[in-house]
Amino acid sequence: MNILEIIEKKRDKKELTKEEITYFVEGYTSDKIADYQAAALIMAIYLNGMTKQETTDLTIAMANSGEKLDLSTLNEIIVDKHSTGGVGDKVSLILLPLVASLDIPVAKMSGRGLGFTGGTVDKLESIPGYVTGIDMHNFIKNVEKIGISMISQTLNLAPADKKIYSLRDSISCVESIPLIASSIMSKKIASGAEKIVLDVTCGAGAFMHSKEQAEALAKEMIEIGKLANKETICVLTNMDEPLGYAVGNSLEVIEAVNFLKGDMPEDLKEVVLALGAYMIKLAGKGDNIEENKEKMLENIENGKGYEKFLQLVENQGGDISYIKNTSQFPKASYIEDVYSDTAGYIKNMNAKEVGKIVCNLGAGRIRKEDSIDNSVGIILNKKVSEKVEKNEVLATIYANSQETLNEAKEKIKEIIEIQKEAVPKPKMILEVMD
Ligand code: URA
């Protein structure tokens, strides 16, 4: 067997065998297969797709590419959560401390930004001192000690996914059902949780643009979950416009902190509560979804969710003075408002385009080794359906160069569509599948 034959087979739309998929995954993980060869195969998969069997084989091979975490010492049902990616998606930063504050242990391995979407790890690392790279022993010890740990993919769990994930990001091969399903499920299988809640985003700012595509991705992940004996629930959520108001790493951390202190943007609140309610259910701590949402709201009101976030940051070396006083986060050098030229209602705000502006400001990677700028981003002042007056602020741009500031100001005005007639509020929770 050799990699050229495998690339050729997929290029010619033929089905790969389990042995061929495993050969590729093992070879690429151990650097025996070069980046350019892996890139060719991934592009062929992106263009020609995979059968269900191939996707399952790819998932298992990636899950087996490194160590597997044993969470059984925690003696509790561990429920994991993962999102298929979005813009302004700071859900994990809010939801996981909130769930942990209800005495449900959280052991979470998150990803970095991918394509035009942000990543939880990049957001956490914008908190000075916060260490995302923790070894397995300390990861479990953290969960035992404070009930939560949130780390990056530094443990040797699904290392094949880590390599393929950043390769896909740098060759524009992200939006693919088999590649997303295998990426997410391989990590979930390797990271030891028994049950999984997946936020399958859908819309302009998601990798799945239509509900049908999102359903197909959800179905694939649920099936893989069944094969791996992991109960999986998918919540399909709307990602047409950015979630909440802030897009950009430290700006999103600040929005998450404010949320935990009770300042909750409506759309973000709906998504956090829905996902959390299913996590609580899977953890065996409450079957009633509405009651579960109330439990979370209670822990926002009494400050327990916020306290848990502080504990998480402190325990992972972060400087909690930034959380207690978020005005300490380093500020971008240029902060300027963008004003509306007309009055009306916000009709549309394409989240992917907003994500691309924020990447261009410096918050995203073009090459996989690029470093990112945590202080840049956009704070929206309006959401879809809201009324806007002429000369009212539409958004505030945070930039670190005059050039990127000017580009962003121009682009955001093109992206925010305004119409005279009223616009209904978008529905956030589109479907729940299990
Ligand atoms: N999140 C992942 O972990 N992998 C993907 O491919 C997309 C989103």
Side-chain angles (χ1 to χ4, degrees):
M1 202 180 301
N2 79 54
I3 186 64
L4 296 183
E5 287 164 7
I6 297 173
I7 297 170
E8 191 179 309
K9 222 172 148 185
K10 197 30 83 184
R11 183 199 67 193
D12 296 343
K13 303 189 170 67
K14 298 199 179 108
E15 186 170 0
L16 300 178
T17 64
K18 182 176 175 187
E19 289 69 33
E20 286 163 336
I21 290 171
T22 308
Y23 175 89
F24 159 66
V25 169
E26 286 176 357
Y28 188 46
T29 312
S30 59
D31 294 329
K32 289 192 191 108
I33 292 172
D35 267 341
Y36 54 85
Q37 292 171 319
L41 181 61
I42 293 296
M43 181 61 87
I45 293 173
Y46 180 89
L47 294 172
N48 297 330
M50 278 187 139
T51 61
K52 282 206 164 43
Q53 189 58 51
E54 286 178 298
T55 307
T56 305
D57 292 339
L58 180 60
T59 309
I60 304 298
M62 293 206 293
N64 289 342
S65 65
E67 289 168 82
K68 292 218 180 89
L69 202 52
D70 178 8
L71 298 175
S72 61
T73 51
L74 294 168
N75 285 327
E76 299 232 31
I77 298 175
I78 303 295
V79 185
D80 207 345
K81 175 261 169 195
H82 203 91
S83 160
T84 58
V87 177
D89 182 353
K90 67 281 294 173
V91 170
S92 288
L93 297 179
I94 301 163
L95 170 62
L96 300 179
L98 202 47
V99 166
S101 75
L102 289 162
D103 295 327
I104 297 169
V106 171
K108 170 79 171 130
M109 191 172 78
S110 290
R112 296 189 183 276
L114 189 62
F116 55 87
T117 67
T120 302
V121 168
D122 294 330
K123 292 167 205 183
L124 286 169
E125 286 180 354
S126 77
I127 304 169
Y130 191 106
V131 178
T132 59
I134 285 181
D135 66 36
M136 211 170 287
H137 172 73
N138 283 313
F139 180 50
I140 293 180
K141 243 175 71 187
N142 281 344
V143 182
E144 279 168 349
K145 184 175 155 203
I146 63 161
I148 182 167
S149 189
M150 291 176 71
I151 62 164
S152 61
Q153 220 171 331
T154 42
L155 304 181
N156 191 30
L157 303 179
D161 172 61
K162 190 177 173 193
K163 274 193 92 173
I164 295 172
Y165 187 96
S166 67
L167 179 70
R168 282 167 56 210
D169 191 25
S170 60
I171 58 169
S172 283
C173 280
V174 175
E175 295 99 332
S176 145
I177 291 181
L179 294 176
I180 297 176
S182 56
S183 162
I184 293 180
M185 294 309 287
S186 64
K187 282 188 288 250
K188 299 299 104 178
I189 292 170
S191 56
E194 283 166 60
K195 308 201 178 218
I196 306 161
V197 174
L198 297 175
D199 179 0
V200 182
T201 52
C202 172
F207 298 131
M208 299 295 110
H209 296 313
S210 70
K211 188 156 173 251
E212 290 68 37
Q213 284 175 317
E215 280 170 344
L217 174 61
K219 200 161 162 257
E220 196 113 350
M221 293 193 290
I222 291 167
E223 276 174 21
I224 296 171
K226 277 201 184 109
L227 286 175
N229 211 13
K230 299 199 183 277
E231 190 177 352
T232 305
I233 291 184
C234 290
V235 181
L236 273 58
T237 64
N238 185 333
M239 187 49 80
D240 271 328
E241 64 175 327
L243 200 52
Y245 290 92
V247 187
N249 293 313
S250 57
L251 297 176
E252 290 188 43
V253 170
I254 296 169
E255 188 169 54
V257 171
N258 291 339
F259 187 111
L260 287 166
K261 286 178 165 174
D263 181 5
M264 299 177 269
E266 264 313 306
D267 59 338
L268 186 55
K269 179 177 168 187
E270 263 189 70
V271 173
V272 166
L273 294 184
L275 291 165
Y278 284 99
M279 285 185 78
I280 296 170
K281 183 174 172 181
L282 284 187
K285 300 280 172 84
D287 278 338
N288 186 313
I289 295 302
E290 291 313 310
E291 277 174 25
N292 292 350
K293 291 180 183 173
E294 284 307 316
K295 288 177 200 162
M296 284 184 277
L297 286 174
E298 215 170 281
N299 274 15
I300 297 261
E301 213 147 279
N302 61 25
K304 286 188 181 166
Y306 172 68
E307 283 303 321
K308 190 53 80 179
F309 185 67
L310 279 179
Q311 236 182 335
L312 163 72
V313 172
E314 185 162 44
N315 197 49
Q316 289 197 216
D319 183 345
I320 55 169
S321 71
Y322 285 78
I323 307 302
K324 289 185 169 166
N325 175 9
T326 53
S327 68
Q328 279 195 83
F329 275 97
K331 290 214 170 38
S333 335
Y334 300 87
I335 302 176
E336 283 192 21
D337 291 334
V338 177
Y339 299 93
S340 176
D341 294 333
T342 52
Y345 296 86
I346 308 287
K347 179 185 169 202
N348 192 21
M349 206 167 352
N350 184 308
K352 178 174 182 174
E353 296 304 322
V354 177
K356 287 203 294 203
I357 299 178
V358 174
C359 281
N360 198 45
L361 284 167
R365 295 178 183 82
I366 306 292
R367 291 176 314 165
K368 58 184 179 168
E369 54 280 3
D370 285 349
S371 57
I372 54 169
D373 187 342
N374 286 325
S375 64
V376 297
I378 296 180
I379 303 234
L380 302 165
N381 191 39
K382 297 282 172 184
K383 301 285 298 181
V384 168
S385 83
E386 284 180 17
K387 199 163 186 245
V388 60
E389 302 298 340
K390 189 172 174 184
N391 293 329
E392 205 183 339
V393 174
L394 287 172
T396 307
I397 311 289
Y398 292 69
N400 273 326
S401 85
Q402 187 73 57
E403 194 190 334
T404 54
L405 171 77
N406 292 344
E407 277 171 17
K409 281 176 79 174
E410 202 175 299
K411 279 254 163 72
I412 195 79
K413 270 185 124 160
E414 285 168 22
I415 289 165
I416 302 182
E417 294 174 40
I418 299 169
Q419 69 174 33
K420 288 269 169 271
E421 304 77 34
V423 175
K425 237 188 182 154
K427 188 174 165 195
M428 292 310 296
I429 308 301
L430 307 176
E431 194 177 343
V432 177
M433 292 170 64
D434 59 11

